[in-house]
Structures are given as C-alpha cells and as structure tokens.
Amino acid sequence: MTDRFNAVPRLNGDRYVRGAIRYLDDTVPDNCLHVAFTRSPHAHALIKHVDLTPALRAPGVTAALSGAEAQHLIGDLISPLPEALTGAAGQLMLPCLPLDRARFAGEPVAVVVADTELAARRAAELVDIAYEPLPPMLDIAAATRPGAPAQHPQLPGNVLSAGSVCDGDMAQAMGDAPYTAEGELVLGRSTAVPLEPRGCIATWQTDSQRLIVRAATQQPHSLRADLARQLRLPETDIQVIATPLGGSFGFKMPGLTEEPLTCLMALHTGRPVRWVESRAESLLVGAREYQAHYRVGFDSSGRVKALAVDIDANVGAPCASPGPAMPTVAAATFPGGYDIADFEIRWRAVMTNKGPWNGARAFGKEAATMVMETALDDVARKLDLDPVEVRRRNLLRAEQLPHRTPSMTVDSGDYHKALDMVLALADYPALRARQRRQPPDSATRIGIGIAFELSPEGIDYAGTLARGYETATVRLDTSGHVTVLTGATSPGTGSETAIAQLVGTQLGISPSTVRVVQGDTDRTPYGSGSFSSRAVLAGGTAAWLAAQDLRTHLINAARILLQAPDAQIEVADGLYYVAQEPTRAIPIGALAAAIRTLGGALPGLNSPQLEITRTYGPQNMQAIPDQNGRVQQYPTYPYSVYVAAVEVDLETGCTDLEMLAAVHDCGIVINQPLVDAQLHGAIAMGVGIALYEEQSYTADGRPRNSSFKTYRLPRLQDMPELRIAHLVSPSPFTELGTKGAGDGGVGGSATAIVGAIRDAIGPSGIALHTPMTPARVLEYLDGARTVEH
Amino acid sequence: MTSTNLRPTFTYHLPGTVEAASAILAETGGAATVLGGGTMAMPKLRDAAAHVDHRVIDTARIAGFSDLAADSAGLTMGAGVSYSTLLSNSLTPPLLRAVAGRITGGPQIRNQGTVGGSACQANPASDIPTALVALQATLTIARLGSKRTLPAGEFFLGPFRTDLRPGELLVALHVPATSATDWGYAKLKHGESSWPITVAAAQLTRGSDDTVVGAAITLGAATPTPVRIPLDRPEQFTTARKVGPALRTAIFGAIGDNCTDWWADEAADRDYRRRVAGVIACRAIDDALSKGSRS
C-alpha cells in the first residue's frame, strides 16, 4: 500500500524515551512558592468556621485563603453545561473554594502557599475548620430522595442534567415485539489515569505586567480565557504554556479549582507559585459510574424492534469541568451502529458526595457500548442464537450509510465486513468448538465475547470554548523549513508528527523539517487543544489546507523563477521542478528567499507572503439545535468490532484474558503506528474497566483507592494477546476522510471482555457490575446457579 | 535542576554493625524507621512526610545482613537477604525460592526487597510471613546488649503488627533443617500489580517407604496473620496425584476449624477470602504432590 501521507516515526519519540522531555514537574522557578490545599475530611459537611491563623503562623507560610476571602478575589468557575441541559436558571456557577458546604472528601476548602511543598502541606493541615458533618449521599438513590440536601443551590433536586434521546414509537414497538428481554448493568466508578498528574506554575511577570502560566493542560486557550475572566485580567495579559503531557485522556481539561487558585496566589503574593497534585489527590477525581436498566423487544429472528434504556450517572460533586457532560454523550450514542427504528434512551446525571468528574477517554460512549451489547447478548441467549448472528441481523449495512438518528448521522463503514474480519482473526469457530469440548465438571470455563463499538469523534461544543474547529498557520523560512503554529495540542499522542507529515506532504518536504508549535497561547492561533480526536482531524486538516494554499503560492512563484509560466510544476524532496525536466528546479528554501526578497517587486511574484492561516471544522454537525430540536455534536463515526476469549476460574472467580481480536476503522489513517498506539492504549483502558480499575468509598464517603496498589491499572502481564486489523472507510464529511482515533477501543474491548465472562458463566440473577473482580464473578456465578435451578 | 516533589527530610544512619544500629535505636527510643530494601518503607515515609520528621536507619551495610549460611541444623540468613539472593543462592529452601520467584514487581523489587523487611512490615497481604510460618523459622531479634529468638508463628501478632518492641532490630532468620520432602506454593491475586489475596504453602513429609507421614498447610493473606494447619491422617496424601473430593473436604474442614478471623483490604473482602482460602490451599497441596518423589 502506498503511504500517501509519508508516515514517519514520532518526531520527538527519542526525547520521550531518553527522558529528555521536560514535564511540568521538572521545573521549579527560583523564589517559588508552593501550593497546598486544606481538604475536607468529610464527604458532606457544613462549614461553620475557617480559621487560617494556625497555618499562617507555621514556618515558611506566605499566605492562605479561605472560601470567604477568595470569593472577593477570584470569579466563580462556570460549568460548560448549557441551561437547556441543567434546567438551572442561568449558567451554573461554583465558587473556587466552598463557602458553607463541603461536598466530597478531599474537596479543597482552603489554600496555603509556603516556601516548600512540605511546609505548605504541613500548614494546610493546621487550618482550623469547624465542620458539621452531614450524612453523605453516595449513591443516586440517596441524592434524589425527596428532601435530600441540595448540592448546588441552583439545582434543588441534585439532578445536574437529564434528558432523553428518542426515535419512532418505542412503547408501541415494544408492545408489538414477540419477545422482550431486560436487565441491569452497573459500570463501576473509574477514572482516567495519566501517569503525570495535574499541575501548574503561575508567575506574575513584573516587567511585562503579565501572568505566565505553565500548565499540564489539554486546552491552553480555553484555560487562558477562563483565567482571564476569573482573575479579571484581559486575555492578552495572560500567557498559558501547555507543557508536554505525560498522558491526559480528558483528565486535564480546565474547570476544576486548582489552576485558578494557583494563579490567584501568584497574583496575591507576586511570586511564582507552583502546584503539582499527588497521586492520592489525582485519584479523587472520577469519570465513570453508571447504572442502567435496559429493555429490548425483538422478533424470532433476533431482529431488534424496540429498545428502552434508563441510564443514570453518578457524577459526584458538582464541578465546572466538561466531565459531567459525558452521560449526555452516552445517551446520544445509542443505538450505536444498529438499525433500530424505535427507541427511547432516558438519562440523568446526578450529583452525589463522591469526587467530581473530569473528562475521560471514550467520554461516555463506553457506557453506551456496554449497555447496547449486553442487551444484544440477552437477545441471543433468549433465542438460543449465536451472538454473532444477532449482530449480523441488526448492524447497519454499508449501503444504509450515512444513517440518520435523532442525535447522529452515522457516516460510513462496512460493519458486516469488519465483523467477518474479526471473527476470522479470532478464529471464532475454533473458539466455540473448544468451548463445546469443555468437560462439564471442569473448574474453569471458556467464554467468548463479541462487541461492536461506535465511537463518535470530533465533538463541537458550540456555546463553549471547546469547539470542533481548529486553526493553523504554516510559515515557510529561507532554510526551506516550515513552522506550523497550531491550536491543537498533543497529550503525548504524537499529533505533532501527524501534522508535520501532512504539511510535509503538501509542500514536498520531509516531516523532519517541519517544526510544529503547540500549546503556547502567545504563539499559536486560537484552538481548543486536544480532546475528542480533534488534534489531527481538525488541527491536522487546518494545517493541511494552509499548506495547500502555500503550495499553490510556491508553485506560482516557481513558474516565474524557472521561467516556465505555463509549465506543470512538480514537488518532491524539497525541490520545485518543471514536470519531465527535473533539472529545471528550485529548492524550496531558495523559493522562499525569492518570495521574501522579491515578492511584490518582481513582476508575476505578487506577494511576499510566506505564511498562511486556515481554520477548519468537519461537516456533518448540528451543534445548535435546528428547528426540529435536533442536535448532532459529533461529525465522524469511527467504529470497531471485538472478540474476547477468557477462561474463568469457577473456584476463585479469576479471569484469564487469553486473547482479544479487534478490527478498527477510523477512516483515512495519517500515521498507522500512532493509530495502533492509540488502540493499544485504549484496549488497556478497556481491560482496566472490565477487570481492575475501581474507585470505591467507605460507608462514610472516604475514597479507598489512593495509590496504584489499590487503584489497579492493568500491567503488561495483564494484557491479552492482541490480534488487530484495520479497515479504511473514509468519512464523506471531512476534508481528508479522517475520523479520529482517540477514543476507539475503550468501550468495545471492555464490553467484549465482560461479555466473555458472561458467556462463560451463563445468565445470572445478578446484575453485571464492572470491574468484574473475582468476588463479583463468584457472586455472578452464584446468581447463575440460582437461575439454573 | 532537581524536581522537588514531596521528598521526606530525615536523618539518615548507615550503621555497619548490629551493635551500632542497636545503639541508634536505643537512643531514639525506637522512634525510627528501619530500612530493609525500602520498597514499602520509602513510600510510607513519603506519604507521611507532611506529618513527621524521621530518623531512618538503613540496614544495607550491616555486616552479615545479606548472608546465607547452612549447617546441619538448617539455614541461617541475615534479615537483609533480598529476593534476588533467594533466587540465585543454591542454599535457598525450595519454598522460599518459589515465593521469591513470584513476588509482585520486577527486578527492582526483587533486588531491593528483603525477607526481614517484609517480615517486619507484617502486611497480611504478602508472601514472606506465610513462608516463614510454614518453614517454622526462628527469628533472631537484637537490642542493645541482648538478643532473643522466637518462632515466626509468635512474631506475627496482627495486621502490620509484630512482636518487635521499641529498640529492637530483626537481625537474622533461621530455617530449621526439615524432614519435609515436598513443598508446594499457591498464590491468588487479581492483576499483576495486586498484593496477594490468598497464599498457601503446603508441606508434605514422606517416610522412607514414600508414605506421607506429615502434612501441613500454612495459609496467609486470607487471614490477619499466617495460620499453620497440620492436617490429620497425612497418609491419605500418599498416593494422591491431585487433591480429590475427599481430601478437599478434609482440607476445607481443617481450614474451617483453624481459621476464625479473615483479612479484608481493597483487593478483597472477608467473604471472598473465606471462600477461596480452601481452594488455594488445595492448589498448594496439588503443587506439592506434583513434585512428589513417588515413582
């Protein structure tokens, strides 16, 4: 296969491997102060009194603020959720430090800065706070009970947002369906876990009278706008520099309180102020916790006629991050890649006294995948059909695409081909044969799980700073090298390499001569950073288009300079030359020099311009509701299909994950190794969700998982044998046919693994509950034994 | 430029002899952290850094601390013997070799972690305490001017609690020469990074005619402290290749009779541990039977 986009290894890969990358934590400015937060020990309490005096008297302490003081110095955080979703009057406002109520164990209640981190942390513990503890509301039932104390004054019922996604007539179709099945599913609380936690360093520069903020953030421009508003500075007085990230996965989007408070303390003290969170602090923030009830109506062939889902998310304490928007996405992703005409998906995001949510990879879509596929497994079981057959009978066919639902226009793909491919990869018939050969009294049982995942990408949150658009400037210099200034950032994924490839391809130069500048609000155009696979999808395409315009300009100049006004000019290896006459050539650097020195002067060389800026956003979006109230936030629809094979130890409940096969289609691929790396990482997250990762709480609401010993991420030894293949179905709605590869794999792999465990054990009276720890597997097995008898 | 992070500040001692270490311990009244390999102590020091100042006594340079020596009475090893040493030294008893080979963590942990350190940590969810109780090891404990010894079974008092008193230092462990011929080990954990949920060491002693004359199971991680359970009628293991239904019932029964208290942590609750303890014990016996000398 020819590689249209000249894929190269990661341009900065060696620097990561050699440890030459300087992360935020590698910098400690001279004369710097360190931030520590006094955190509530209670999950839910009234704050009666805050006395900072003991902290202020502690050695090394420079300043401290309580909520009461901070509220006069810094503007509130504002949730990006629109009124239409929350039902609140006006935007949802949150003070940076709570004034009267602590809403989760670990919530910052006061901020202290001191000469050392140790002094700051010690002093933070000295702040004297009188609490009146209240019963914690840890689950949805407690938080929505009549009379439950409101966790946000604008939302008396503790429902942060709610809604439904409906098509056709679900009730009628369900009533008409010859068969129905229903079930419950609990997706346990887990989170995105970048190895590098969050942090920032803020410095008030007296000479320039500007605030310089180095931050481990995905969205420097958005953070700058928020900071400007909250600190009452013009945006131009703030420079945000996003440092190289050691992972992010949605975890480093603005909206939590620590960044603005760190900046406030820098303004307050006039000294550099540094904040880097600990692992325990990092693990306070959640990103998933759903409970779903589903009901599916179907005919004797396994064709689904109706789907009803109630999906509730426990989003923890209210916050202003985009995290609480994820349940909306979960609901909007139904019915995935399936041809189901009549459905009703009702969802709620409920506030409780657990930690707040920030974004996390797959952004709610993993919940939709797990519910949808679990329901289809039930259909298969009820009809005694192979679960693969049920997928075949319901998946959209290639010729049905694009396919419109109330919340999506599913773009392109060949789901049936992908399913066939993954079955071949997994050698599905052989797996089933092996399963049939198992002795009935065996202490282990083989299970096989199937999952189809639709992973909408490229979201445009119109009305917020998180847009689907990106802007890039491509600038050529006299060395023949190119600088790309892009609003897209890299969370460590290598988007800079893909962008360099795209620009290099257009201009006929090596990607290694393209320098991509990201993350600096002084240098880069407006952009929304990285989330929802937009860095290459939107950011890369904006750079591609800018480079295309520049290429046209360069070709025109080459015609003039080569005195071949009507010739076709070809571009390769840094040379612009007359077609069929490669000796009539000019190197790109000389071309740039000529344009800079003679542009506008030499006849025919019309302009000295050597930098071009373009803005790009995909088609296929309806971010503002149309006259029918239809909203479509996602422009592209990557998909993938999974087969998992597990062996379940019936005595211990341990699951041995033997093999996971995946066929993945994210449209046109710019750099296959980078896409593969994304998929491998996503599958690791899926393994974690299915088997290991969980944030649990004590009965009084204290988090129990504060380290990697207790919040268990899968390690290499926990990963299955991976068999991966790709399909390429270009998007008809994007410039390059790309769709994005950031989220694909999380929900599908988790669901296939959970499905395989279920397949091994059989139907159970117990609801599925992830992660499927050995104890839960045994519980599920006990439930299955009840069903059998 | 260095990264700050939250590095604990402490006074660091690197004594060369047990006497010197004991003198420092005596001076601090026991309010010091004794470092073996530091794989557990260092993270704890870091996490506690906001609260206290520390004195740290590193045992790495204490003479003889990482030595193994065998004689007719058995094997004596310094408290600082690492897992790597257990793996590479030909004197290592089979059970300790099996344990060391399956410690959670890579070469860094195996090189750094020590038998004595793990014993003193007394984390129920770990391997070494169970192995020491199974081996009926004797621990030598020093304090300034005196020494005492006690059986491993009496050393572990509870979760993270040992009989080590202020001013005392675990210096050596003695594994008696044993008549046991076959050892087995089984370990249950959930995920590579997990602490063990249940471990079991099985010990079978065969007479000259190959008859099993002694059988014992030592269960750990499932219980707050390791529990050694001699099994009745050991001869029933003589011809077994695997634990069958009758033996299984006997083993579950013996565990039920001997284990009253169960451990719970983030990895698993009491009910789960109670349920799987017998399973893991049977697997340890299976492991021992698979090494049997039957022809």
Side-chain angles (χ1 to χ4, degrees):
Chain A
M1 191 177 104
T2 57
D3 187 349
R4 183 185 170 205
F5 297 108
N6 305 310
V8 290
R10 274 183 74 144
L11 295 174
N12 54 8
D14 65 317
R15 299 190 61 226
Y16 279 92
V17 173
R18 288 188 289 110
I21 292 287
R22 288 180 68 82
Y23 295 103
L24 178 86
D25 193 42
D26 293 325
T27 300
V28 184
D30 293 339
N31 195 33
C32 144
L33 294 171
H34 298 262
V35 170
F37 296 95
T38 307
R39 293 177 180 272
S40 168
H42 305 289
H44 192 194
L46 297 179
I47 300 167
K48 308 304 278 186
H49 178 70
V50 179
D51 182 6
L52 299 167
T53 322
L56 288 166
R57 285 196 193 124
V61 172
T62 309
L65 291 175
S66 65
E69 292 160 323
Q71 66 171 334
H72 302 297
L73 303 171
I74 187 164
D76 287 352
L77 297 156
I78 299 179
S79 164
L81 296 189
E83 285 180 64
L85 276 182
T86 62
Q91 290 173 304
L92 213 56
M93 315 288 285
L94 292 122
C96 282
L97 291 170
L99 302 172
D100 54 4
R101 185 187 298 270
R103 296 154 310 167
F104 67 96
E107 178 171 14
V109 178
V111 57
V112 177
V113 290
D115 291 337
T116 66
E117 190 176 347
L118 197 59
R121 285 187 183 266
R122 285 181 180 179
E125 300 202 342
L126 297 176
V127 175
D128 188 10
I129 303 175
Y131 293 100
E132 183 184 322
L134 298 170
M137 303 182 298
L138 298 178
D139 57 32
I140 288 169
T144 54
R145 202 183 52 233
Q151 295 306 293
H152 193 284
Q154 288 170 269
L155 296 168
N158 291 328
V159 174
L160 176 64
S161 58
S164 64
V165 181
C166 307
D167 207 4
D169 186 342
M170 184 281 293
Q172 177 77 39
M174 193 71 81
D176 293 347
Y179 300 90
T180 59
E182 63 187 311
E184 306 269 346
L185 193 152
V186 179
L187 189 54
R189 183 176 154 109
S190 62
T191 189
V193 188
L195 287 185
E196 180 205 29
R198 295 182 303 136
C200 72
I201 301 169
T203 306
W204 177 253
Q205 248 176 22
T206 45
D207 52 351
S208 65
Q209 292 286 293
R210 296 182 82 207
L211 181 70
I212 314 299
V213 184
R214 295 173 56 79
T217 180
Q218 293 169 239
Q219 297 174 292
H221 279 289
S222 312
L223 178 60
R224 182 174 80 147
D226 283 349
L227 291 173
R229 179 186 55 75
Q230 289 183 271
L231 299 169
R232 294 157 194 133
L233 292 170
E235 273 198 71
T236 51
D237 284 3
I238 302 175
Q239 178 186 17
V240 174
I241 301 162
T243 49
L245 295 185
S248 188
F249 316 111
F251 198 75
K252 293 173 182 169
M253 298 200 274
L256 298 179
T257 200
E258 290 91 342
E259 283 105 339
L261 284 173
T262 301
C263 294
L264 173 64
M265 297 317 273
L267 293 178
H268 194 63
T269 60
R271 285 170 64 180
V273 175
R274 183 180 192 275
W275 161 69
V276 177
E277 70 181 354
S278 69
R279 182 60 58 194
E281 289 167 326
S282 187
L283 285 169
L284 292 171
V285 175
R288 301 178 190 98
E289 184 175 353
Y290 296 91
Q291 56 191 61
H293 177 266
Y294 58 86
R295 188 152 190 257
V296 58
F298 49 99
D299 67 16
S300 59
S301 74
R303 190 77 182 84
V304 174
K305 298 297 187 185
L307 175 70
V309 177
D310 283 284
I311 184 162
D312 287 341
N314 179 340
V315 299
C319 73
S321 89
M326 293 190 286
T328 327
V329 171
T333 307
F334 283 95
Y338 295 101
D339 184 13
I340 300 172
D342 300 281
F343 60 86
E344 182 173 332
I345 317 300
R346 298 190 303 171
W347 60 274
R348 293 187 300 171
V350 177
M351 297 180 291
T352 66
N353 295 122
K354 293 183 176 179
W357 279 17
N358 205 336
R361 192 179 196 178
F363 215 74
K365 302 158 211 168
E366 68 278 29
T369 303
M370 199 168 284
V371 174
M372 192 70 229
E373 298 298 308
T374 304
L376 290 177
D377 283 344
D378 288 353
V379 172
R381 205 172 274 287
K382 197 132 182 178
L383 297 173
D384 202 19
L385 283 173
D386 189 317
V388 170
E389 279 313 308
V390 174
R391 268 69 178 191
R392 281 211 177 97
R393 286 168 199 179
N394 291 286
L395 279 173
L396 290 161
R397 295 183 312 279
E399 63 271 21
Q400 288 177 282
L401 304 183
H403 172 79
R404 193 160 179 168
T405 77
S407 54
M408 308 186 283
T409 303
V410 182
D411 46 15
S412 62
D414 192 338
Y415 303 164
H416 291 262
K417 184 176 177 186
L419 178 60
D420 289 341
M421 283 171 69
V422 81
L423 294 173
L425 266 185
D427 202 354
Y428 184 74
L431 282 175
R432 285 288 179 209
R434 195 176 136 212
Q435 192 178 37
R436 281 191 299 272
R437 284 197 306 270
Q438 294 178 105
D441 59 344
S442 169
T444 60
R445 245 187 252 166
I446 293 162
I448 304 154
I450 318 286
F452 177 90
E453 171 199 287
L454 189 73
S455 182
E457 296 286 19
I459 201 165
D460 179 30
Y461 272 113
T464 75
L465 294 165
R467 301 301 312 277
Y469 294 82
E470 279 300 331
T471 298
T473 296
V474 174
R475 176 190 294 161
L476 178 64
D477 62 36
T478 55
S479 317
H481 284 228
V482 165
T483 303
V484 181
L485 309 172
T486 173
T489 56
S490 168
T493 54
S495 66
E496 73 294 323
T497 301
I499 293 170
Q501 273 177 240
L502 288 167
V503 169
T505 301
Q506 278 286 10
L507 298 178
I509 56 177
S510 162
S512 65
T513 61
V514 179
R515 186 178 290 274
V516 179
V517 176
Q518 296 177 301
D520 180 344
T521 57
D522 271 11
R523 298 170 71 197
T524 61
Y526 284 136
S528 300
S530 68
F531 61 92
S532 199
S533 298
R534 300 161 46 273
V536 178
L537 176 64
T541 308
W544 167 264
L545 293 173
Q548 190 173 54
D549 289 354
L550 185 58
R551 174 190 171 106
T552 304
H553 184 43
L554 292 173
I555 285 175
N556 285 335
R559 287 199 184 101
I560 303 299
L561 295 165
L562 295 169
Q563 296 176 330
D566 303 317
Q568 185 186 335
I569 301 294
E570 297 205 338
V571 177
D573 301 328
L575 289 178
Y576 284 61
Y577 60 93
V578 177
Q580 320 297 341
E581 290 181 75
T583 52
R584 289 179 71 188
I586 180 166
I588 189 169
L591 205 47
I595 292 171
R596 258 172 91 177
T597 55
L598 293 169
L602 188 71
L605 218 53
N606 291 333
S607 164
Q609 186 177 357
L610 275 177
E611 52 198 325
I612 290 176
T613 299
R614 287 286 299 265
T615 296
Y616 174 77
Q619 302 166 44
N620 199 32
M621 293 195 281
Q622 181 71 53
I624 303 285
D626 66 11
Q627 59 216 32
N628 303 319
R630 187 176 172 279
V631 174
Q632 181 186 318
Q633 291 180 307
Y634 286 98
T636 71
Y637 297 83
Y639 65 94
S640 42
V641 200
Y642 300 82
V643 173
V646 304
E647 189 173 63
V648 177
D649 182 333
L650 301 179
E651 292 182 320
T652 64
C654 288
T655 300
D656 179 21
L657 180 50
E658 291 185 358
M659 185 277 303
L660 187 84
V663 172
H664 174 243
D665 185 347
C666 62
I668 296 291
V669 170
I670 308 297
N671 185 312
Q672 192 69 57
L674 292 181
V675 168
D676 287 345
Q678 286 296 301
L679 187 60
H680 295 160
I683 290 170
M685 284 195 172
V687 171
I689 290 170
L691 298 177
Y692 301 115
E693 295 179 43
E694 184 162 31
Q695 295 167 299
S696 62
Y697 285 80
T698 61
D700 59 359
R702 289 181 172 82
R704 302 179 78 220
N705 312 83
S706 57
S707 76
F708 285 155
K709 219 48 191 161
T710 52
Y711 186 90
R712 284 186 297 279
L713 293 169
R715 292 193 184 174
L716 185 61
Q717 296 91 332
D718 298 314
M719 288 293 284
E721 174 200 352
L722 295 181
R723 300 182 195 167
I724 289 174
H726 297 272
L727 265 176
V728 176
S729 306
S731 162
F733 302 116
T734 64
E735 178 72 21
L736 295 169
T738 51
K739 294 183 180 178
D743 286 348
V746 177
S749 57
T751 302
I753 294 162
V754 169
I757 295 172
R758 227 168 150 234
D759 181 62
I761 296 175
S764 172
I766 306 289
L768 268 182
H769 189 156
T770 64
M772 290 292 272
T773 59
R776 288 208 182 106
V777 169
L778 288 186
E779 208 176 306
Y780 193 78
L781 185 66
D782 294 343
R785 286 179 176 140
T786 324
V787 169
E788 280 160 16
H789 295 298
Chain B
M1 191 183 293
T2 57
S3 162
T4 57
N5 253 331
L6 205 57
R7 289 204 181 136
T9 51
F10 49 72
T11 312
Y12 179 75
H13 302 277
L14 191 63
T17 61
V18 169
E19 291 68 30
S22 302
I24 302 162
L25 268 174
E27 181 200 319
T28 61
T33 298
V34 177
L35 274 193
T39 62
M40 287 173 283
M42 288 310 295
K44 276 172 73 177
L45 283 176
R46 184 197 60 212
D47 293 345
H51 306 280
V52 267
D53 285 310
H54 289 279
R55 295 183 71 163
V56 169
I57 303 169
D58 189 345
T59 59
R61 298 281 183 275
I62 295 181
F65 243 52
S66 47
D67 293 350
L68 276 90
D71 59 23
S72 58
L75 175 86
T76 301
M77 59 187 153
V81 164
S82 69
Y83 298 115
S84 290
T85 302
L86 290 180
L87 285 171
S88 62
N89 198 299
S90 60
L91 298 174
T92 303
L95 177 64
L96 280 177
R97 188 184 303 279
V99 165
R102 294 168 63 188
I103 288 291
T104 295
Q108 294 97 327
I109 295 290
R110 290 199 295 274
N111 289 338
Q112 201 66 26
T114 64
V115 174
S118 179
C120 292
Q121 182 74 12
N123 182 355
S126 64
D127 302 75
I128 286 293
T130 302
L132 295 177
V133 171
L135 291 163
Q136 299 181 280
T138 307
L139 280 60
T140 303
I141 292 165
R143 66 182 305 141
L144 194 58
S146 68
K147 267 187 187 177
R148 66 182 177 117
T149 59
L150 87 166
E154 293 170 28
F155 181 73
F156 301 106
L157 299 181
F160 305 99
R161 208 157 59 80
T162 68
D163 193 48
L164 214 55
R165 295 161 200 162
E168 287 189 330
L169 180 71
L170 174 65
V171 295
L173 304 99
H174 177 74
V175 179
T178 169
S179 54
T181 37
D182 300 324
W183 290 92
Y185 191 63
K187 173 168 172 170
L188 172 69
K189 62 179 191 175
H190 178 47
E192 185 60 25
S193 65
S194 168
W195 276 314
I197 293 170
T198 297
V199 296
Q203 173 185 1
L204 298 178
T205 308
R206 288 183 190 268
S208 53
D209 62 352
D210 220 26
T211 305
V212 175
V213 295
I217 275 288
T218 306
L219 203 59
T223 47
T225 54
V227 180
R228 184 169 186 276
I229 307 168
L231 298 171
D232 293 340
R233 301 205 304 116
E235 66 283 0
Q236 52 187 337
F237 292 95
T238 301
T239 57
R241 290 174 181 277
K242 268 178 88 75
V243 171
L247 290 175
R248 185 183 164 99
T249 305
I251 292 165
F252 273 68
I255 290 172
D257 293 344
N258 286 277
C259 299
T260 48
D261 200 4
W262 300 89
W263 177 239
D265 61 14
E266 295 86 347
D269 63 15
R270 289 182 178 80
D271 286 344
Y272 178 76
R273 284 179 150 100
R274 184 190 297 125
R275 180 165 176 172
V276 298
V279 174
I280 301 309
C282 291
R283 289 180 187 179
I285 298 265
D286 283 344
D287 186 39
L289 289 170
S290 75
K291 294 161 187 166
S293 54
R294 283 163 296 110
S295 51

